[in-house]
Amino acid sequence: MELTVKASDLQREVQLVYGVIERKATIPILSNILLKAIKGEIQLTATDIEVTIKSSCPATVSSEGAVTLLGQKIYESIRFLPPDAEINMKLKENNWMIIHCERTKYRIAGIASDEFPIIQECDYSQAVTLQWAPVKHMINKVIFAITAEDTRYALRGALMELDENGITFVATDGHRLAYIHKNEKTGLKSGKIYRSIIPRKALHELLKVDDENQILFYSESENHLFFKVGNREIIANAVEGEFPDYMKILADREDRKIRIVTQEFMDALKRVSPFSSEKMKGVTLSMEEGKMEILASSADQGEAEETIQAEYSGKQMKINFNARYLAEFLTAVGSEQIVMNLKDESSHGMFKPENGEEFQYKYVVMPMST
């Protein structure tokens, strides 16, 4: 195995696949990146078994071959090399890799490629094709609501639903729920539905693909989910379990509506929320005609309050929410104004952007007890 590759190309792809590697992998080979040289390119693969990333970049290949190198070592070795320089890589006996770039030379111990886990393949001939930009937009709108700690395994990912007429993503941690839908012809046959829970880590890795003019190819096989955007491929094990019936939560009801300027709400929340209790992180929203007051207090740190303008004409009401849950929605919503739909102080609140013609975006938060 011998090849020459531009430093910036290899640095970019190594950084991409390195993100999937567990820093304290219990199986040593999972700390390695598989490097494979074939005609015209070098392919890189990393996996933690649950999520796999495959990528490639152009290379002048003198002789083909494959080896695995410790991910941290190859990442640290090449990251500060001159981006415009060329890197020569040559595999020696006993899987020693010689890396030479201008005045820098490394000799790195490798492990045989046949010890690397077998990765599921997909030819994408029957894949669903979607524009990557709107899908990426949708993932960004829900990913923050995925649980990181809940023992209910089904909540450790976002539900993706595809049918002939549209795309839906839903995420929840049991205390709040983010939903987004886009009407779009997907090319699926009538009655054909994909419904899978995508693990949080796979979604994070997908979001690193920054070329929004690309096409996303999506396919499924047994419990494997396949995503391909450009030269990047992400393979994930579908999250097992039953996702909650989100339509019950999103059902229409008679609510009081409050319209607020998003940035004003966010700024006030930033100023007030540091005074909420360390454990509960709660703030109280108090609505009355033409305004909304945001309050926070803790026994040992004091209290804060701020009043902002709000389009509201109903009876005075108060409701308590987790401040972080509100802030994460306000950061993601991307609308100058939002609408809060509130029934009473003990029922969940529903938040929406004021304008949502292309995407139907809803965010539901359970209130906190006083």
Side-chain angles (χ1 to χ4, degrees), residues 47-80:
T47 185
D48 67 354
I49 300 299
E50 299 295 324
V51 178
T52 298
I53 301 182
K54 299 172 69 175
S55 189
S56 65
C57 60
T60 301
V61 178
S62 304
S63 61
E64 298 183 349
V67 70
T68 77
L69 299 178
L70 187 64
Q72 182 178 4
K73 195 60 63 180
I74 184 67
Y75 173 73
E76 292 176 345
S77 297
I78 70 169
R79 65 184 298 200
F80 295 119

Side-chain angles (χ1 to χ4, degrees), residues 12-113:
R12 181 185 63 247
E13 303 310 322
V14 167
Q15 183 176 15
L16 175 76
V17 302
Y18 181 61
V20 81
I21 294 175
E22 294 291 344
R23 299 298 178 264
K24 297 180 180 180
T26 55
I27 304 173
I29 195 66
L30 298 184
S31 296
N32 284 28
I33 295 174
L34 172 64
L35 305 175
K36 185 177 182 180
I38 62 172
K39 185 177 180 180
E41 67 180 25
I42 178 171
Q43 299 177 344
L44 301 88
T45 305
T47 185
D48 67 354
I49 300 299
E50 299 295 324
V51 178
T52 298
I53 301 182
K54 299 172 69 175
S55 189
S56 65
C57 60
T60 301
V61 178
S62 304
S63 61
E64 298 183 349
V67 70
T68 77
L69 299 178
L70 187 64
Q72 182 178 4
K73 195 60 63 180
I74 184 67
Y75 173 73
E76 292 176 345
S77 297
I78 70 169
R79 65 184 298 200
F80 295 119
L81 294 176
D84 294 330
E86 288 194 334
I87 297 174
N88 179 262
M89 305 177 71
K90 188 171 184 178
L91 187 62
K92 295 290 191 177
E93 291 182 0
N94 299 318
N95 298 302
W96 284 93
M97 176 65 79
I98 306 299
I99 298 177
H100 189 199
C101 179
E102 296 186 341
R103 291 172 293 177
T104 305
K105 188 174 182 179
Y106 300 108
R107 182 171 177 263
I108 304 176
I111 298 176
S113 60

Side-chain angles (χ1 to χ4, degrees), residues 192-220:
K192 175 69 173 177
I193 298 174
Y194 283 122
R195 193 175 195 270
S196 298
I197 305 173
I198 307 169
R200 180 191 185 108
K201 187 172 184 178
L203 294 171
H204 272 296
E205 297 304 325
L206 272 169
L207 290 177
K208 294 177 183 178
V209 179
D210 53 10
D211 187 349
E212 297 190 357
N213 295 318
Q214 294 278 4
I215 298 295
L216 167 67
F217 295 85
Y218 174 74
S219 187
E220 296 181 0

Side-chain angles (χ1 to χ4, degrees), residues 300-365:
D300 55 345
Q301 294 189 25
E303 58 187 33
E305 61 181 68
E306 183 166 339
T307 302
I308 62 174
Q309 290 184 332
E311 186 180 320
Y312 178 68
S313 58
K315 294 188 297 183
Q316 183 177 9
M317 69 172 295
K318 292 183 179 182
I319 191 167
N320 303 306
F321 288 120
N322 181 296
R324 179 170 64 85
Y325 292 174
L326 297 179
E328 288 178 336
F329 167 75
L330 295 172
T331 300
V333 67
S335 174
E336 290 186 4
Q337 289 192 334
I338 63 163
V339 177
M340 290 195 302
N341 290 4
L342 302 176
K343 184 179 181 182
D344 53 52
E345 63 182 18
S346 59
S347 300
H348 65 255
M350 182 177 291
F351 300 76
K352 305 175 185 178
E354 172 66 18
N355 297 311
E357 295 179 1
E358 183 179 2
F359 300 92
Q360 299 173 33
Y361 185 37
K362 300 178 182 180
Y363 183 64
V364 175
V365 186

